[in-house]
Amino acid sequence: MTELVDTALERIHSSANLADLEAVRVDVLGRKGVLAQLSKDMGKLTSEERVQRGKFINAAKQSLEGAYDALKAKFESEALAARLDAEWLDLTVPAPGPKRGALHPVTLIQWEIEDLFRSMGFSVLDGPEVETEHHNFDALNIPPDHPARDMQDTFWLEGHHLLRTHTSPVQVRGMEKLGPPLKMIAPGRVFRNESVDASHEHTFYQLEGMMIDKDVSVGNLIYFMKTLLTAIFHREVTVRLRPGFFPFVEPGFELDIRCLICGGPGCPVCKQSGWVELLPCGLVNPHVLRSSGIDPKEWNGFAFGLGLTRLVMMRYAIDDIRWLQSGDLRFLGQFA
Ligand code: DAH
């Protein structure tokens, strides 16, 4: 009998894991197990022997169950430790947080210029991208048969509508809506039907400006243009003023800046000239004032049409205009 119990104890101790142990439990402590066998022939024993046997069985039961419980507890705590190890989570690691986007470089510069002009008392106006022929051309002193229409390759739409080729029609809308005196700028998207290369896009941005008051001079114009360029480039830039023809200004000027990409020797952005046309401007042609119901004997003014896209390229040394509309996150992410 003692041998039977010893073998059972040995089996319990030699189980390697919980599953083993469970199998042993059935064999040893179960209904047909060792203990059950020990009590099987109790009926044939004398009462004296039965007391002996009972004591033996109780002692065996205690030692077997004790061994089983101890081993079971050991396996269970090992399993728990292994699980805690595997499922460990470091709650002190900072969360990655949402990925932040970036403003488009055109938006960045546009907002900067808007802030500057607002601080000088200008209104910021918006106009439609689908324009009438009247606002885009006629009211700006560009009649249908005028050669100046060919300067801008136009996307025509139905019924004398078009995709605006410049932001100048917003001058007309500003004069119509607000009248003189007027200080306004109008940033926006414009469209030209031309082939795309490093310095030409069919879609780009301009920023129009206009000031109408009494006795506005070329001196006023130059002052505002210099203020604008200094604020944008945060440094002195070399500029030159040439006569320029635009039907809506008289006199008209081309304000060029030294190419900030190559600094002068020539590159694709400045078309190898060392200069970039940035700021055509002039004094508002009396015809334009009159078309919008303003008396040119009483009022005059200046206007300018800043190439916003080109300016952004200068400011950030972007050598190909196509990046701006590419939607390429490697490019856009640099402005975060
Ligand atoms: N609208 C002209 C263009 O897109 C640019 C321009 C020239 C605007 C002279 C002006 C200006 O306001 O005075 O080519």
Side-chain angles (χ1 to χ4, degrees), residues 72-149:
K72 185 169 183 237
K74 177 175 167 263
F75 285 147
E76 279 174 351
S77 85
E78 277 172 7
L80 179 64
R83 194 175 147 203
L84 287 176
D85 221 28
E87 294 178 5
W88 182 80
L89 190 65
D90 186 353
L91 295 177
T92 65
V93 173
K99 249 195 171 174
R100 295 190 64 176
L103 289 172
H104 193 279
V106 170
T107 308
L108 289 171
I109 300 291
Q110 180 186 320
W111 287 3
E112 233 175 73
I113 300 174
E114 286 180 10
D115 286 348
L116 172 72
F117 276 95
R118 273 203 196 90
S119 78
M120 299 191 291
F122 283 63
S123 312
V124 179
L125 302 187
D126 206 8
E129 291 177 347
V130 172
E131 260 299 2
T132 63
E133 186 179 3
H134 170 78
H135 286 91
N136 197 84
F137 289 128
D138 300 321
L140 290 164
N141 195 31
I142 317 174
D145 54 346
H146 197 286
R149 281 215 183 181

Side-chain angles (χ1 to χ4, degrees), residues 57-335:
I57 291 176
N58 275 340
K61 188 170 185 233
Q62 258 180 24
S63 92
L64 289 173
E65 281 183 353
Y68 169 82
D69 287 345
L71 205 56
K72 185 169 183 237
K74 177 175 167 263
F75 285 147
E76 279 174 351
S77 85
E78 277 172 7
L80 179 64
R83 194 175 147 203
L84 287 176
D85 221 28
E87 294 178 5
W88 182 80
L89 190 65
D90 186 353
L91 295 177
T92 65
V93 173
K99 249 195 171 174
R100 295 190 64 176
L103 289 172
H104 193 279
V106 170
T107 308
L108 289 171
I109 300 291
Q110 180 186 320
W111 287 3
E112 233 175 73
I113 300 174
E114 286 180 10
D115 286 348
L116 172 72
F117 276 95
R118 273 203 196 90
S119 78
M120 299 191 291
F122 283 63
S123 312
V124 179
L125 302 187
D126 206 8
E129 291 177 347
V130 172
E131 260 299 2
T132 63
E133 186 179 3
H134 170 78
H135 286 91
N136 197 84
F137 289 128
D138 300 321
L140 290 164
N141 195 31
I142 317 174
D145 54 346
H146 197 286
R149 281 215 183 181
D150 302 335
M151 285 163 62
Q152 303 182 347
D153 306 296
T154 309
F155 287 113
W156 285 96
L157 306 171
E158 285 170 0
H160 296 284
H161 283 78
L162 46 80
L163 293 182
R164 67 177 177 192
T165 56
H166 50 180
T167 42
S168 302
V170 193
Q171 289 183 16
V172 178
R173 293 182 179 275
M175 288 186 285
E176 286 171 353
K177 197 174 159 204
L178 303 171
L182 175 67
K183 282 157 95 182
M184 56 153 277
I185 59 164
R189 201 153 61 138
V190 303
F191 309 88
R192 302 268 172 101
N193 190 357
E194 55 186 331
S195 33
V196 173
D197 61 30
S199 49
H200 295 88
E201 256 286 12
H202 47 69
T203 302
F204 55 99
Y205 288 80
Q206 291 186 335
L207 188 139
E208 196 75 16
M210 181 178 236
M211 173 171 165
I212 295 178
D213 212 314
K214 314 233 165 178
D215 305 320
V216 175
S217 69
V218 173
N220 297 131
L221 169 63
I222 291 173
Y223 166 78
F224 277 102
M225 298 305 93
K226 276 198 170 162
T227 307
L228 170 61
L229 292 171
T230 310
I232 289 165
F233 291 109
H234 306 297
R235 61 179 139 146
E236 286 290 319
V237 290
T238 313
V239 300
R240 72 178 184 188
L241 208 59
R242 290 179 289 129
F245 172 72
F246 302 94
F248 31 94
V249 282
E250 180 58 38
F253 306 105
E254 287 281 8
L255 196 154
D256 303 340
I257 68 162
R258 255 272 177 250
C259 180
L260 295 176
I261 304 269
C262 66
C267 71
V269 170
C270 61
K271 292 182 225 143
Q272 312 304 331
S273 73
W275 294 94
V276 178
E277 273 182 35
L278 197 62
L279 203 48
C281 51
L283 294 185
V284 182
N285 190 310
H287 289 306
V288 173
L289 295 172
R290 217 175 282 118
S291 289
S292 298
I294 296 175
D295 182 359
K297 288 200 201 85
E298 200 180 339
W299 303 96
N300 74 334
F302 68 72
F304 62 91
L306 176 71
L308 189 55
T309 295
R310 199 159 285 171
L311 180 114
V312 168
M313 292 174 71
M314 288 284 116
R315 165 76 179 266
Y316 292 112
I318 299 165
D319 61 3
D320 193 321
I321 195 170
R322 289 166 289 196
W323 281 115
L324 293 164
Q325 295 229 100
S326 66
D328 191 323
L329 292 178
R330 292 168 307 176
F331 169 74
L332 295 170
Q334 298 175 73
F335 303 93

